[in-house]
């Protein structure tokens, strides 16, 4: 019925049914000219369907250029805005509250660690773009490095830093520095214990590009770590192209360790002997502790070459010092020798205590990287449990054989000069074990001597609690390490990790193990808790020294050390 009505209306309106039949079968517009208006002559382009809202002929847009033939988003950013950063001051996307002025970002004299760490600690929407030379040639902008290659280089550099023991915040700062140096402004790196991820979004309407890399092997080589820091410094200064950076990174990977395996074994023995001297041992104890540590080191190398996990390597390395301690306890009295087995075992444990991993774990936790901090702490717990298993097994066998260990304490005699020399020797040998550059060994050794002087003056002479004295000494170590890092534009770890060696709680761990082996659980757990408190005091003190150096020390080109420094925003606990 509706169809018939429409046909009748059409016939009545046109007046002649044959007009309806002779009309073309294509669809006509509903706006037919009135009877008194002559129809316009049809053009060739009007034969196709057009929108009723087409632009009039006089306002028709000019012909499109070839690059406009491809469809784009209706929300695309104009070309004049696309070339600038969306978060740059003065752009169309400036936040309502404005962009904060950050002096140590725009000042070229500040270390790249400070500039990029400020970026890490800022919210994503408030991060300005660091000033760098802008490209003025269009061909240079078109033929610049591609985003995937820049992201790949960034992940490779971050892998070496994270595997070398660097903190998660410093790894993210390095990733920011490399990406921004090659023109990638909107980058968001993510660092966990074994996974590195970086996301780059070219503009507000383009799809993001994400790359990730897994850290499977970890090694202790501060020489390689220093090389990576120098590479990042040169990249952020604009002195290295992308291909040159790849070449230098390959050279850093191919470089051999500065010290051989034999040198590492000897250094491990000297470290154990120096540690035994710190806890009251004499020359005989020095050589016995050194022998036990060297045997444990070679045994750990043997299991490492067979592919055993690191846990079993620590179990094997802890066995020889414990065996020597049991033998000393069994036969020293019969031979008429006044040798304390506790000093032998304590010295042999010092090379095995994972101080580097502990400091990195606490630092990550204090800077807000809780997942990475938890994983590092779990690694420390596994390694310490491996040491505990190796020592407890030997102590239990010794107890069954009649060896009576004294869990009361060490006979620590006041020998300031000898203990100071032993602390410096311990720091020196620690530098060798960490594969540091030879140029950093002397300063790290002096830093370790200063740490022991501060601890001895506060704990032994002043009678202050050992935990507080350890924290104060570790704070000075961190402050000095950060000063040297800012002066030489390198990582602070080579100046810190070896220097905290004399402060490590080897004796507390040993007496905790003796108490557990002899069934005195309360005394054993008390000593182990003291060891944990000392370890946390070391890590917190080191981190506090680093933060104080960044907070109050003025860098070249910076107006005020407090200006522009932002920390991570946190809640008040709820």
């Amino acid at each position: 019925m509706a169809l018939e009505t429409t046909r009748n209306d059409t016939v009545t309106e046109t007046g002649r049914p044959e007009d309806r039949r002779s009309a073309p079968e294509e669809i006509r517009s509903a706006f037919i000219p009135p009877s008194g208006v002559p129809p316009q002559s049809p053009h060739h382009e009007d034969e196709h369907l057009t929108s009723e809202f087409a632009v009039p002929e006089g306002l028709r847009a000019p012909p499109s250029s070839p690059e406009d033939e491809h469809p784009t988003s209706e929300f695309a950013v104009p070309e004049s805005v696309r070339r600038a950063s969306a978060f740059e001051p003065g752009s169309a996307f400036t936040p309502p509250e404005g962009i904060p002025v950050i002096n140590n970002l725009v000042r070229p004299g500040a270390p790249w660690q400070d500039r990029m760490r400020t970026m890490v600690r800022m919210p994503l929407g408030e991060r300005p773009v660091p000033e760098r030379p802008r490209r003025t040639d269009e061909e240079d902008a078109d033929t610049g490095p591609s985003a995937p290659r820049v992201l790949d280089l960034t992940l490779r550099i971050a892998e070496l830093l994270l595997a070398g023991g660097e903190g998660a915040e410093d790894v993210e700062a390095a990733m920011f520095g490399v990406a921004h140096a090659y023109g990638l402004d909107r980058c968001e790196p993510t660092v966990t214990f074994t996974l590195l991820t970086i996301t780059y979004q070219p503009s507000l309407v383009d799809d993001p590009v994400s790359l990730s890399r897994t850290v499977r092997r970890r090694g202790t080589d501060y020489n390689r770590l220093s090389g990576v820091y120098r590479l990042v410094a040169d990249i952020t200064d604009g002195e290295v192209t992308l291909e040159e950076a790849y070449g230098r990174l390959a050279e850093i990977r191919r470089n051999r360790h500065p010290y051989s395996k034999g040198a590492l074994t000897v250094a491990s023995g000297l470290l154990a002997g120096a540690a035994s001297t710190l806890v009251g041992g004499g020359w005989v104890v020095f050589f016995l502790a050194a022998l036990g540590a060297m045997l444990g080191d070679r045994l750990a190398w043997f299991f490492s070459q067979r592919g055993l996990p690191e846990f079993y390597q620590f179990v094997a390395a802890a066995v020889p010092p414990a065996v020597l301690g049991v033998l000393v306890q069994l036969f020293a009295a019969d031979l008429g020798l006044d040798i304390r087995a506790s000093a032998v075992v304590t010295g042999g444990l010092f090379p095995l205590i994972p101080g580097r991993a502990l400091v990195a774990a606490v630092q990550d936790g204090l800077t807000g990287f809780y997942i990475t901090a938890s994983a590092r702490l779990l690694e420390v717990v596994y390694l310490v449990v491996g040491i505990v298993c190796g020592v407890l097994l030997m102590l239990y066998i010794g107890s069954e054989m009649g060896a009576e260990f004294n869990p009361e304490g060490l006979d620590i005699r006041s020998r300031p000069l000898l203990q100071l020399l032993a602390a410096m020797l311990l720091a020196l040998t620690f530098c060798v074990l960490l594969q540091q550059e030879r140029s950093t060994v002397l300063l790290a050794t002096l830093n370790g001597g200063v740490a022991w002087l501060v601890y001895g003056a506060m704990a032994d002479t002043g009678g202050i609690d050992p935990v507080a004295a350890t924290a104060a000494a570790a704070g000075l170590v961190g402050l000095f390490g950060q000063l040297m890092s800012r002066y030489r534009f390198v990582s602070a770890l080579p100046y810190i990790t070896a220097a905290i060696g004399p402060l490590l709680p080897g004796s507390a761990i040993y007496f905790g193990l003796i108490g557990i082996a002899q069934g005195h659980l309360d005394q054993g757990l008390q000593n182990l808790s003291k060891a944990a408190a000392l370890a946390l005091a070391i890590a917190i003190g080191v981190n506090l020294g680093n933060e104080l150096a960044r907070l109050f020390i003025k860098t070249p080109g910076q107006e005020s050390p407090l200006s522009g420094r932002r920390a991570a925003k946190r809640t008040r606990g709820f």
Side-chain angles (χ1 to χ4, degrees):
M1 181 65 66
L3 182 60
E4 294 177 357
T5 304
T6 303
R7 289 181 178 178
N8 293 334
D9 293 342
T10 305
V11 172
T12 304
E13 187 176 356
T14 57
R16 290 182 300 176
E18 57 272 13
D19 293 339
R20 177 179 54 82
R21 290 191 300 268
S22 62
E25 296 180 357
E26 60 186 17
I27 302 175
R28 292 289 185 179
S29 172
F31 300 95
I32 301 176
S35 58
V37 178
Q40 297 180 358
S41 59
H43 298 282
H44 177 70
E45 60 270 18
D46 294 334
E47 295 178 359
H48 304 285
L49 294 178
T50 57
S51 171
E52 290 79 13
F53 303 96
V55 181
E57 187 66 27
L59 300 179
R60 189 178 299 274
S64 59
S65 57
E67 60 266 19
D68 294 334
E69 295 178 357
H70 303 284
T72 58
S73 172
E74 292 81 357
F75 304 99
V77 183
E79 187 65 26
S80 59
V81 180
R82 180 184 294 275
R83 295 180 181 178
S85 171
F87 305 106
E88 195 171 3
S91 67
F93 300 96
T94 303
E97 64 274 9
I99 296 294
V101 178
I102 302 178
N103 292 334
N104 58 354
L105 269 177
V106 301
R107 303 276 182 180
W112 67 264
Q113 297 98 315
D114 288 351
R115 291 184 278 123
M116 294 298 111
R117 191 179 290 110
T118 305
M119 295 282 289
V120 173
R121 294 181 176 183
M122 291 182 63
L124 181 62
E126 299 180 6
R127 290 173 183 167
V129 178
E131 288 188 354
R132 60 175 182 271
R134 297 287 184 179
R135 294 190 181 96
T136 57
D137 191 1
E138 286 296 330
E139 291 187 3
D140 292 340
D142 294 337
T143 61
S146 62
R149 283 183 58 80
V150 174
L151 298 180
D152 177 70
L153 176 66
T154 303
L155 290 177
R156 291 178 183 274
I157 291 176
E159 179 189 11
L160 290 181
L161 292 176
L162 188 63
E166 193 62 77
E169 187 179 35
D170 291 332
V171 175
E172 281 199 0
M175 296 172 73
F176 263 116
V178 175
H180 285 195
Y182 290 115
L184 306 187
D185 295 336
R186 298 184 186 90
C187 287
E188 186 65 23
T190 303
V191 177
T192 58
F193 186 61
T194 57
L195 184 63
L196 297 166
T197 306
I198 185 168
T199 301
Y200 166 63
Q201 190 170 10
S203 69
L204 297 177
V205 295
D206 293 330
D207 295 333
V209 180
S210 297
L211 273 74
S212 61
R213 193 172 183 87
T214 303
V215 180
R216 302 188 182 276
R217 297 189 61 183
R218 300 178 183 274
T220 305
D221 190 348
Y222 283 180
N223 182 32
R224 180 179 296 176
L225 187 67
S226 300
V228 176
Y229 258 75
R230 285 192 293 269
L231 174 59
V232 175
D234 293 340
I235 290 175
T236 54
D237 291 339
E239 300 176 358
V240 181
T241 63
L242 185 64
E243 299 303 326
E244 292 174 351
Y246 266 107
R248 287 182 54 177
L249 189 63
E251 292 179 1
I252 293 173
R253 286 181 174 273
R254 287 194 300 265
N255 282 343
R256 291 187 175 183
H257 300 302
Y259 307 103
S260 62
K261 294 181 180 179
L264 296 181
T265 301
V266 175
S268 178
L270 293 177
L271 191 153
S276 66
T277 305
L278 288 179
V279 294
W283 290 106
V284 179
V285 174
F286 181 94
F287 287 111
L288 289 177
L291 178 62
M294 288 189 291
L295 291 176
D297 182 77
R298 299 316 303 172
L299 191 61
W301 274 106
F302 175 80
F303 284 111
S304 174
Q305 293 176 353
R306 267 63 182 177
L308 266 73
E310 196 172 12
F311 174 83
Y312 299 105
Q313 298 175 27
F314 271 73
V315 173
V319 169
V323 170
L324 288 178
V326 170
L327 294 178
V328 167
Q329 191 67 29
L330 288 175
F331 302 107
D334 298 338
L335 297 176
L337 299 176
D338 186 13
I339 303 175
R340 288 198 171 265
S342 56
V344 176
V345 181
T346 300
L349 293 181
F350 258 77
L352 304 178
I353 299 176
R356 173 181 60 88
L358 178 65
V359 171
V362 177
Q363 181 178 357
D364 289 341
L366 293 176
T367 52
F369 295 85
Y370 300 115
I371 297 178
T372 308
S374 302
R376 289 187 190 272
L377 284 177
L378 187 60
E379 180 189 27
V380 171
V381 169
Y382 270 102
L383 298 182
V384 172
V385 168
I387 299 172
V388 169
C389 291
V391 175
L392 277 182
L393 178 61
M394 295 298 105
L395 292 182
Y396 178 77
I397 294 175
S399 299
E400 294 296 324
M401 295 174 61
E404 297 181 359
F405 296 94
N406 180 20
E408 297 298 329
L410 294 168
D411 184 17
I412 300 179
R413 290 162 286 178
S414 178
R415 299 172 296 177
L417 181 59
L418 182 60
Q419 289 179 338
L420 176 61
L421 294 177
M424 296 178 66
L425 178 61
L426 192 152
L428 174 64
T429 52
F430 219 140
C431 292
V432 177
L433 292 178
L434 294 173
Q435 298 283 1
Q436 292 187 194
E437 289 181 318
R438 291 179 173 86
S439 60
T440 63
V441 171
L442 178 60
L443 293 176
T445 302
L446 294 177
N447 199 13
V450 171
W452 181 258
L453 275 179
V454 173
Y455 172 79
M458 295 181 65
D460 298 337
T461 305
I464 300 177
D465 184 75
V467 177
T470 300
L476 289 179
V477 168
L479 179 62
F480 179 79
Q482 190 59 224
L483 287 175
M484 295 309 302
S485 171
R486 298 164 74 86
Y487 176 71
R488 295 194 172 188
F489 292 93
V490 295
S491 173
L493 290 181
Y495 304 100
I496 293 177
T497 306
I500 64 174
L503 306 177
L504 294 176
S507 58
I509 294 177
Y510 169 72
F511 288 117
L513 298 181
I514 288 181
I516 294 176
Q518 295 181 349
H520 305 291
L521 294 181
D522 294 339
Q523 188 174 3
L525 293 177
Q526 181 180 0
N527 282 287
L528 290 180
S529 300
K530 180 181 178 181
L534 290 174
L536 290 177
I538 292 173
I540 294 175
V542 168
N543 181 264
L544 183 60
N546 291 338
E547 293 298 326
L548 289 177
R550 301 188 189 113
L551 185 63
F552 293 108
I553 297 176
K554 182 179 179 181
T555 56
Q558 187 178 355
E559 295 179 356
S560 172
L562 295 177
S563 61
R565 188 177 186 278
R566 296 280 300 273
K569 185 177 181 181
R570 295 285 179 261
T571 62
R572 295 178 177 83
F574 49 82

